Amino acid sequence: MTLTILSFLAFTAFVAFFSWYQLRKDKLNTQDGYFLGGKSLTGVVIAGSMLLTNISTEHLIGMNGSAYKNGFIIIAWEVTSAIALVIGALYFIPNYLKMGLTTIPQYLEMRFDQMTRTLVALFLIVSFVVTLLPIVLYTGAINLESIFNVSETFQISHQEGLWLTVIVIGVIGSIYAIFGGLKAVAYSDTINGIGLFLGGLLVLGFALWDIGEGNLIGGLQKVYNAAPEKFNVIGSKDSVLPFEVLFTGLMINQLYFWCMNQPIIQRALGAKNLAEAQKGLLYTGVLKLFVPLIIILPGVIGFYYFGDSLYENQDLIYPELIKKVLPVGLTGFFAAVVMGAVLSTFNSVLNSTATIFSLGIYKRHLNVNASDKQLVWIGKLTSIILAICAIVAAPMVAGAPDGLYQLLQQLNGIFFIPIASIILAGLFIPKISATGAKAGLFVGLLFYILTVFIFPVDIHFVHIWGIEFVLNMIVMFGVSYFYPNTNPFKPTDTGSVALKPWKYANILGLILVVLTVVIYIWLGN
């Protein structure tokens, strides 16, 4: 245990020192400096930060748990992200940077009106506090409590051990976000991203080495032979993620998450120019095609080791696998990587939420003359309050029947699809009015809550995303017919950054789309 703790502290301290060293001369008391990293982020840093903002313990714990139970069918959540990132790099981010956006709700004010911006900003803040942040904290606590046996060490109950771990993670994550701003988050994410991939591959490598008795390929073959059905990506209509959802609601969700989701896209908005932003999104797309090696395959390997003995507690499979296959000295390093993954998503969301509140609500409605210094202070205060709320809410997500990752996606649908609908309508359909957008927002919200949580229908929730999207469009068209659009807004170049595209963007984008299709053909047979 001593060696585990030492390796944990060593890697965690290295990340903190590296982030401080990179930021020691930066000015973080300006709006761009604190919220957008001084518009200085490069493609590699953007990719590392986007990946770590996305991949956290809700993936390591939740997706491996789901893969343990359901197999590779859930790969759709990951590999289809590459297509969304290509669209984001080639269409969305050039428009965002052209308009000089700091937040996505900012665009909604330009295209519709101030009330639409405020409503979406409030929806986003609520969604982060009640869905993403608590689940990230809780899944991180599950992993770290298991590795370090916190409850045994302090002679407290398992639940108290989880509470203690949630509080520690929440406090440390808040410090990064509150005192360092976006740039501190991005640099720490880059190092933690490297650690996550190395640590994840080590877990995979040691497990296959053990199973194959020194032969990695032989180990993989044994895992496949033990349960070949778990490697199929097509599945059946009653699968946890049926193949058909790729053509209904899944791609709408992916477009929202990678092209319109503030905590993700804020990294690209902080790019030094368009070329670096495009590199960041496309590099992330490349990484997403390899991510299943660390967040899906280990779950299937867990089935080889433990059979169906953990089906009732699927979210424990990854911590159990780590303890089984990793040497003691590496367990602490991987715990630090897990901690980094939790901190990454947690502090990224805190920073983005602070940005949305400070610029979209405080400056627009509470203090229109607020200085940069005041906005940064309000951003820090917002982060503190949200962190406390997330820490209190975290243990309430325990016991999700289909696993924590599935719960997260179901909850995300409450806000993601309505917001995606109005953003896409704003970008592509000039006739949609502000009144139509607000009507679509509320109708979509009410429809999803009724059909999924109050009067659940026997339709997969991702299909409901697709139905909801179509319904929202019909509502927006109908309302806009009676209340026509009077805002002639067209994006103009604000000159905030150079807009020369990356010369390899189109070719890399095409390669990513082809590879995604190839993966489905390969694993679908």
Side-chain angles (χ1 to χ4, degrees):
M1 181 59 72
T2 302
L3 187 57
T4 299
I5 294 173
L6 286 175
S7 57
F8 171 82
L9 292 175
F11 187 77
T12 304
F14 169 71
V15 173
F17 175 79
F18 177 82
S19 302
W20 168 81
Y21 184 79
Q22 293 292 336
L23 291 167
R24 67 194 189 285
K25 296 180 180 179
D26 283 24
K27 295 179 179 179
L28 297 175
N29 57 353
T30 65
Q31 178 177 312
D32 278 352
Y34 188 76
F35 296 119
L36 289 180
K39 287 185 179 286
S40 63
L41 303 184
T42 61
V44 172
V45 173
I46 292 168
S49 188
M50 287 182 80
L51 186 72
L52 258 289
T53 300
N54 170 228
I55 302 297
S56 188
T57 45
E58 81 276 13
H59 287 76
L60 289 172
I61 298 292
M63 284 202 78
N64 274 308
S66 185
Y68 161 70
K69 195 170 184 178
N70 305 294
F72 264 73
I73 185 72
I74 62 168
I75 199 174
W77 290 120
E78 295 306 306
V79 296
T80 58
S81 299
I83 296 176
L85 283 158
V86 170
I87 297 171
L90 300 183
Y91 180 78
F92 284 91
I93 199 61
N95 280 286
Y96 292 160
L97 294 180
K98 182 179 181 180
M99 290 184 277
L101 298 185
T102 302
T103 70
I104 299 303
Q106 184 183 349
Y107 162 73
L108 294 174
E109 180 175 2
M110 297 177 183
R111 173 60 178 83
F112 296 116
D113 59 16
Q114 189 177 35
M115 181 57 69
T116 306
R117 173 181 180 167
T118 302
L119 286 171
V120 170
L122 289 171
F123 282 179
L124 287 174
I125 292 170
V126 171
S127 75
F128 295 150
V129 173
V130 302
T131 61
L132 183 57
L133 289 176
I135 289 178
V136 167
L137 282 179
Y138 190 73
T139 51
I142 289 174
N143 215 348
L144 292 174
E145 206 283 336
S146 175
I147 291 172
F148 290 115
N149 294 315
V150 175
S151 53
E152 291 182 18
T153 302
F154 291 96
Q155 296 185 332
I156 54 180
S157 69
H158 179 70
Q159 193 61 32
E160 289 171 335
L162 288 173
W163 265 103
L164 178 61
T165 312
V166 161
I167 292 170
V168 171
I169 295 171
V171 170
I172 296 175
S174 304
I175 291 171
Y176 268 104
I178 294 166
F179 296 105
L182 178 65
K183 200 167 184 180
V185 172
Y187 275 111
S188 64
D189 285 355
T190 303
I191 299 300
N192 281 320
I194 295 170
L196 178 69
F197 259 93
L198 289 177
L201 290 174
L202 281 172
V203 173
L204 177 64
F206 276 110
L208 293 178
W209 183 271
D210 176 53
I211 294 168
E213 298 176 344
N215 185 329
L216 296 178
I217 302 299
L220 182 59
Q221 188 64 49
K222 282 186 178 181
V223 173
Y224 177 82
N225 291 339
E229 71 281 359
K230 289 196 178 290
F231 284 81
N232 186 273
V233 297
I234 304 300
S236 59
K237 292 185 182 297
D238 61 351
S239 298
V240 69
L241 192 67
F243 178 71
E244 293 81 9
V245 301
L246 271 69
F247 309 101
T248 57
L250 184 61
M251 279 311 301
I252 299 166
N253 176 76
Q254 298 289 47
L255 282 174
Y256 173 81
F257 189 86
W258 292 105
C259 306
M260 310 171 218
N261 184 19
Q262 184 68 29
I264 293 291
I265 207 66
Q266 187 168 336
R267 278 98 197 93
L269 298 179
K272 62 167 60 176
N273 54 47
L274 173 59
E276 293 300 323
Q278 289 181 318
K279 289 178 188 177
L281 268 69
L282 293 171
Y283 291 165
T284 306
V286 174
L287 293 171
K288 287 296 282 184
L289 294 181
F290 289 95
V291 160
L293 293 175
I294 60 174
I295 64 173
I296 294 178
L297 183 52
V300 177
I301 292 172
F303 180 79
Y304 176 89
Y305 276 121
F306 303 105
D308 59 5
S309 62
L310 290 173
Y311 266 19
E312 298 301 316
N313 297 287
Q314 65 186 58
D315 291 317
L316 295 178
I317 194 67
Y318 198 60
E320 291 300 316
L321 185 65
I322 291 172
K323 289 194 291 186
K324 184 172 184 64
V325 303
L326 274 189
V328 174
L330 290 175
T331 303
F333 159 73
F334 194 72
V337 168
V338 169
M339 180 78 158
V342 179
L343 296 181
S344 170
T345 301
F346 186 72
N347 56 31
S348 296
V349 174
L350 283 185
N351 182 264
S352 295
T353 310
T355 305
I356 291 170
F357 181 82
S358 301
L359 304 182
I361 296 178
Y362 182 78
K363 186 172 177 63
R364 303 298 296 172
H365 300 284
L366 303 177
N367 186 358
V368 295
N369 297 315
S371 65
D372 276 9
K373 188 175 181 180
Q374 286 175 310
L375 288 174
V376 171
W377 186 85
I378 288 296
K380 292 179 178 180
L381 180 62
T382 303
S383 294
I384 293 171
I385 294 171
L386 292 178
I388 293 171
C389 292
I391 289 170
V392 171
M396 299 178 188
V397 302
D402 292 318
L404 289 169
Y405 190 78
Q406 197 80 345
L407 172 64
L408 175 63
Q409 295 299 344
Q410 286 179 312
L411 292 173
N412 280 342
I414 298 173
F415 301 100
F416 281 12
I417 305 303
I419 295 172
S421 301
I422 65 172
I423 294 175
L424 289 170
L427 288 168
F428 293 103
I429 310 174
K431 290 185 178 180
I432 300 299
S433 66
T435 306
K438 287 191 280 287
L441 194 64
F442 283 106
V443 168
L445 191 73
L446 182 63
F447 171 79
Y448 186 78
I449 291 173
L450 286 174
T451 55
V452 174
F453 298 105
I454 298 178
F455 305 109
V457 295
D458 190 22
I459 303 174
H460 195 280
F461 71 90
V462 179
H463 287 316
I464 292 178
W465 290 349
I467 296 169
E468 178 187 0
F469 181 78
V470 173
L471 175 64
N472 290 351
M473 288 298 175
I474 293 171
V475 168
M476 286 189 282
F477 267 109
V479 173
S480 297
Y481 177 80
F482 294 102
Y483 298 91
N485 182 28
T486 57
N487 182 3
F489 169 75
K490 290 185 178 180
T492 56
D493 186 359
T494 60
S496 59
V497 296
L499 294 177
K500 183 179 179 181
W502 185 37
K503 61 182 178 179
Y504 299 115
N506 289 330
I507 185 66
L508 182 53
L510 178 61
I511 290 171
L512 286 174
V513 172
V514 170
L515 287 175
T516 302
V517 175
V518 167
I519 287 172
Y520 264 91
I521 293 173
W522 177 42
L523 293 175
N525 293 324

